[in-house]
């Protein structure tokens, strides 16, 4: 879900690139809202009263939860998760609208940057940073960076193709296989040095 956290803050000042990627984030939250709505509907239909209206909302200490505070969300509660997803969608929509103001003067014939290519290049960069950290024997940092790179690459070969994007994102078999091989290599590297990490008694 938090692909935006791992990728998109690096695009500060690059408004077309940021806008293009933010549209992907918006599509992710939109899909999350739809899924949560379906979950809520199916849960309500299984209850005797047919309603979850009295279920507690995702509010902690009188404050409405922000989209990135997953640690405070009750993910067993469909209402709680739906509200979290709706808030995430609203935040992404607001960011998209603000970014759109910066690209209004763009040449109408100019092509928008490819968001998936941006995500892909970011994943490769993060994976390279992980290799550097591994070489410097900073294993915890390397593990975190490898996980981050794998998350982004897994998003491209998985969820990305199911999003409602214009134009739709299509990944052919050759590129999907190539990206999956990168994921496998990152997993292998991470597993190897995690296994060799000394244990403390």
């Amino acid at each position: 879900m938090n692909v935006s956290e791992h990728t998109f803050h690096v695009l500060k000042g690059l408004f077309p690139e940021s806008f293009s990627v933010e549209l992907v984030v918006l599509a992710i939250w939109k899909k999350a809202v739809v899924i949560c709505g379906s979950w809520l509907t199916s849960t309500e239909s299984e209850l005797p009263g047919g309603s979850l209206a009295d279920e507690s909302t995702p509010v902690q200490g009188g404050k409405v939860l922000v989209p990135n505070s997953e640690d405070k969300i009750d993910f067993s509660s469909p209402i709680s998760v739906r509200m979290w997803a709706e808030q995430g969608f609203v935040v992404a929509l607001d960011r998209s609208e603000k970014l759109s103001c910066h690209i209004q003067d763009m040449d109408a014939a100019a092509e928008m940057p490819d968001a998936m290519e941006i995500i892909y290049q970011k994943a490769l960069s993060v994976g390279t940073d992980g290799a550097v950290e591994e070489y410097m024997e900073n294993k915890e940092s390397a593990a975190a960076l490898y996980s981050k790179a794998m998350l982004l690459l897994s998003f491209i070969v998985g969820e990305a193709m199911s999003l409602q994007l214009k134009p739709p994102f299509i990944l052919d078999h050759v590129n999907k296989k190539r990206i999956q091989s990168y994921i496998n290599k990152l997993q292998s590297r991470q597993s190897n040095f995690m296994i060799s990490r000394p244990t403390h008694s």
Side-chain angles (χ1 to χ4, degrees), residues 39-74:
W39 180 27
L40 181 61
T41 300
S42 64
T43 304
E44 287 180 336
S45 66
E46 295 172 1
L47 294 177
S51 176
L52 293 174
D54 295 330
E55 186 174 334
S56 60
T57 59
V59 176
Q60 300 287 338
K63 295 182 180 179
V64 178
L65 295 178
V66 295
N68 291 333
S69 58
E70 289 92 342
D71 56 324
K72 299 179 181 178
I73 299 293
D74 179 7

Side-chain angles (χ1 to χ4, degrees), residues 9-69:
H9 297 311
V10 301
L11 302 178
K12 185 176 180 180
L14 302 176
F15 295 117
E17 290 82 358
S18 296
F19 181 68
S20 181
V21 172
E22 194 61 50
L23 291 179
V24 174
V25 177
L26 189 62
I28 293 171
W29 282 113
K30 181 178 180 180
K31 182 178 179 181
V33 170
V34 171
I35 292 172
C36 292
S38 298
W39 180 27
L40 181 61
T41 300
S42 64
T43 304
E44 287 180 336
S45 66
E46 295 172 1
L47 294 177
S51 176
L52 293 174
D54 295 330
E55 186 174 334
S56 60
T57 59
V59 176
Q60 300 287 338
K63 295 182 180 179
V64 178
L65 295 178
V66 295
N68 291 333
S69 58

Side-chain angles (χ1 to χ4, degrees), residues 85-97:
E86 288 174 345
Q87 291 168 22
F89 178 82
V90 170
V91 171
L93 181 61
D94 181 63
R95 284 198 302 255
S96 299
E97 291 176 343

